[in-house]
Amino acid sequence: MNGLYRRLVLSTALALLALAGQAQEIPGYPAIEAFDAREVAMLPPYCKYTIYFRDKVPGGADPDSRARWLGTLGPTFEHLHHYCFGLMKTNRAVLLSRDSQTTQFYLRESLREYDYVLDRARPDFVLLPEVLSKKGENLIRLKREPLAILEFERAASLRPDYWPPFAHMGDYYASIGDRAKAREVLQRGLQGSPDAQALKRRINELDDAEAKGSTRKK
């Protein structure tokens, strides 16, 4: 019995490893560490000057460009390659994956990359609200909404004039039918970013939905 149990455990472990390997494959694309030009092109311009990227991506070794980005983004730039990997993994999950298993794999992997940066970022890191928002987006995709809202709220508190986290929270509350909360969040975002068309559009959509609901009741 013990021998049978060990064989069962071993076969299960091997099957899980095989599945994990399959989850990483994107047809027509090499391993993510190959820095495929198509994927790199979708990243922010500073990515190619970060660690690992600058050794593989053409032009990434330019010292003047690297110094300029380091001066612009501060010391956390030294950890920013993980954010770039997180973006690549997100793009693989959202744009390139052909099955749910691979999508879930890359979404979870992206969270690990984002957390690496968040754990090391200075409180005044200019991209901190953006990283938090990107993490929140993927938590939503993974159906971990309460954790996503925490990340969005943290991003919003750090930079009230950065509209994306307000938009994502508005989308979430609208999706669960809480239009009042969605409106409250969107209006809060407009206080910090009064010209954000994305927030105005969402409020207009709420107005339209409520108007249609009132018409049906009549």
Side-chain angles (χ1 to χ4, degrees):
M1 182 64 70
N2 288 339
L4 178 61
Y5 177 75
R6 285 196 295 270
R7 288 195 297 273
L8 179 61
V9 171
L10 179 60
S11 63
T12 301
L14 291 173
L16 290 173
L17 286 173
L19 288 173
Q22 291 174 7
Q24 299 179 55
E25 295 177 359
I26 299 291
Y29 285 79
I32 204 164
E33 295 82 3
F35 303 95
D36 187 279
R38 294 167 293 178
E39 296 187 90
V40 173
M42 291 189 286
L43 299 177
Y46 52 74
C47 282
K48 74 176 184 178
Y49 304 108
T50 61
I51 296 173
Y52 298 120
F53 283 78
R54 63 184 179 232
D55 294 330
K56 299 286 187 177
V57 178
D62 178 51
D64 292 335
S65 296
R66 180 178 178 278
R68 184 172 67 253
W69 282 113
L70 179 62
T72 300
L73 300 177
T76 306
F77 180 73
E78 296 298 339
H79 306 295
L80 208 56
H81 54 291
H82 283 279
Y83 179 51
C84 298
F85 277 128
L87 292 175
M88 289 178 76
K89 291 174 179 180
T90 297
N91 289 337
R92 286 198 165 200
V94 176
L95 303 176
L96 302 177
S97 172
R98 298 184 182 180
D99 60 84
S100 61
Q101 182 182 341
T102 303
T103 297
Q104 296 288 308
F105 172 82
Y106 279 111
L107 288 176
R108 290 193 298 269
E109 280 290 294
S110 75
L111 296 183
R112 186 174 61 84
E113 303 288 2
Y114 295 154
D115 281 339
Y116 185 98
V117 179
L118 293 173
D119 290 343
R120 292 161 178 78
R122 295 195 176 190
D124 61 349
F125 179 44
V126 67
L127 294 182
L128 188 53
E130 178 182 318
V131 180
L132 288 166
S133 293
K134 291 295 184 181
K135 180 182 177 182
E137 288 183 61
N138 284 356
L139 285 168
I140 290 285
R141 292 178 175 121
L142 288 166
K143 308 300 182 185
R144 298 163 66 182
E145 291 88 349
L147 292 177
I149 294 300
L150 289 176
E151 302 296 355
F152 291 142
E153 286 287 5
R154 184 182 170 196
S157 66
L158 287 171
R159 187 177 166 188
D161 64 341
Y162 181 62
W163 62 262
F166 296 101
H168 294 311
M169 286 190 285
D171 290 343
Y172 167 66
Y173 288 120
S175 72
I176 62 173
D178 193 342
R179 293 175 185 164
K181 184 63 176 178
R183 184 181 298 276
E184 181 270 321
V185 168
L186 294 171
Q187 289 176 337
R188 179 153 54 97
L190 282 174
Q191 291 176 4
S193 186
D195 296 325
Q197 294 301 314
L199 301 183
K200 293 179 180 180
R201 174 173 53 80
R202 285 168 167 80
I203 290 179
N204 289 336
E205 290 171 354
L206 289 176
D207 291 339
D208 292 342
E210 291 175 0
K212 291 178 181 177
S214 298
T215 302
R216 291 194 195 99
K217 290 179 182 179
K218 293 177 181 180

